Amino acid sequence: MLRAYRSDDVRQAEAPLLERGVPLMDRAAAALATEVIRRVRALGNRVPGTEVLGLVGSGNNGGDVLFALARLARRGVSASAILTGTPHAAGYAAASRAGVRFADAGTLRSLAESAEVWIDGLVGIGARGPLREPALEIVRELEEVRVGRPVEPLVIAADLPSGIGADDGTVPGLALRANVTVTMGIAKPGLVLDPGRRYAGEIVQVPLGLEEFLPSEPALLSVGARDIADMWDVPGPDSHKYSRGVVGVMTGSLRYPGAALLSTSAALAGGAGMVRYAGPRETSRLVVSQHPEIVTDMGRVQAWVLGSGVNMDDPEAASEVARRLQESITAGIPVVLDAGAITLLGSIDVPSTVVITPHAGELAELLAARGEPLSREEIAAAPSRAARLAATLTGATVLLKGSVDVACAPDDPLWAQGGAAGWRATAGAGDVLAGLLGSILAQWGDELADLGKGHGIPARLAAAASYIHGRAAAIAYGTGRPIVASEIAGAIPQAIGEALASTGE
Ligand SMILES: NC(=O)C1=CN([C@@H]2O[C@H](COP(=O)(O)OP(=O)(O)OC[C@H]3O[C@@H](n4cnc5c(N)ncnc54)[C@H](OP(=O)(O)O)[C@@H]3O)[C@@H](O)[C@H]2O)[C@H](O)CC1
Ligand SMILES: [K+]
């Protein structure tokens, strides 16, 4: 599980160590230099003679890079640096002593053209606002050089790619795209949230001993394969359908019969002990003909999935969805509200055991109904803020779908899941996610009902569903067949199996 902390919290955690004289910058620089050497070797190049270009800002981020360049120069690397202003004094002295060449901005292009590695030390967590001159011009030129080179350079960002928002992942102006980000101490939310995440490349965390001084709650969490394995209730000899979770699914309509099929297929694939389908008669026949194990008689369920493909303009369907929502809240069992059912929260508050799964458009509609309008673009530009606002206004757990899915309850950590984003933007993928999420929530339904509150569990399970959905889309992509929602549903068991077998992450 990746944990990310806001830059202010990182600074506060660094302070006591710096006061004790712990050489944090030295450790940071050593880790940065080691990562550069590892990557150069992985490319099959020899370290001595490799050309490395450091882009150095005037703050401690630049200081990290200057000390790293000094270490690299001592290992025979041909190291040069471009400064944006007055550099970190001790770093500059160390780099000069080690033979690092300081070039003026006019030679940037030629140095950038020949250097195998660029190290970005322009700004780190001290960045304020969009990247500004002279860093801005440097990034503009580097991106031009990168495009024109026959072989791309290896770009390694110190702490953060310069130009992204450390805490929210926004990219207000230009940013330098890195292949690897060597982040100091602990990851920051901007490395996991879109669009910042796309500039970070692979994240390498450098432990600096900050843990004991960081807040107990991270600002953001991200689920990995190992966490799925840890949270998954693998059936055993005394399992039965209720211990595995029975999920009720009220989805689909004459207009959207496919939503019924996709959501129930995903619910089955997600490991539910049984799926009760409560949609219209016409779609029941379709569902049961495809999945004879699905039952249509009503009885005990431990989670509901409501709304995918339901025509909420149909008063009978809408009142049925509203009734089931109310019953579930009274019984304390978790509910997934998808698609049109999300509009119910325009006027009622709910516990965090209710999970809504909007895309940006549906969230914009909900926020407008709640008197806090945000445009679809504003939501996509800062998904974490929009999801938190909706959770706070409604009380629900919000799983906001996008290039990075974010999930949060009103007062619990934020989850962010990237992965296979593009492939999931296909008709019906939301129906699949809703069914999968319902199936996972059902496995925890009794526990949630006993707890009487969400306690952050629905958000964590929503992140797990998003992770599995993303992995299933990536697996579906690998089949070479068209990536349609039914293929994603079909790949869910393999995605779960992979995670349960994982030993990494
Ligand atoms: N605290 C420590 O000892 C450690 C810190 N680490 C590294 O240090 C940075 C944080 O360093 P800090 O000096 O606080 O700030 P930065 O270097 O990240 O940035 C400040 C410089 O950047 C310029 N700046 C700020 N905003 C912009 C912008 N939008 N565009 C261009 N330039 C910007 C700022 O210029 P001023 O004119 O405002 O002075 C400064 O020059 C952290 O990220 C780590 O890399 C160590 O890793 C651990 C120990
Ligand atoms: K940087």
Side-chain angles (χ1 to χ4, degrees), residues 8 40 62-63 95 156 164 193 207 246-247 255 261 362 505:
D8 288 350
V40 165
I156 297 186
I164 75 162
L193 293 170
V246 174
V247 56
R255 206 158 85 186
L261 209 43
E362 289 158 339
E505 285 188 69

Side-chain angles (χ1 to χ4, degrees), residues 61 120-124 157-158 160-162:
N61 191 243
D120 168 10
L122 293 168
V123 288
L160 294 165
S162 298

Side-chain angles (χ1 to χ4, degrees), residues 335-353:
V335 191
V336 178
L337 293 184
D338 185 36
I342 294 169
T343 54
L344 291 173
L345 298 201
S347 53
I348 58 169
D349 296 349
V350 295
S352 62
T353 47

Side-chain angles (χ1 to χ4, degrees), residues 438-459:
S439 187
I440 296 173
L441 285 168
Q443 295 172 43
W444 292 69
D446 291 348
E447 184 154 350
L448 285 167
D450 294 347
L451 280 172
K453 269 174 58 69
H455 286 287
I457 295 172

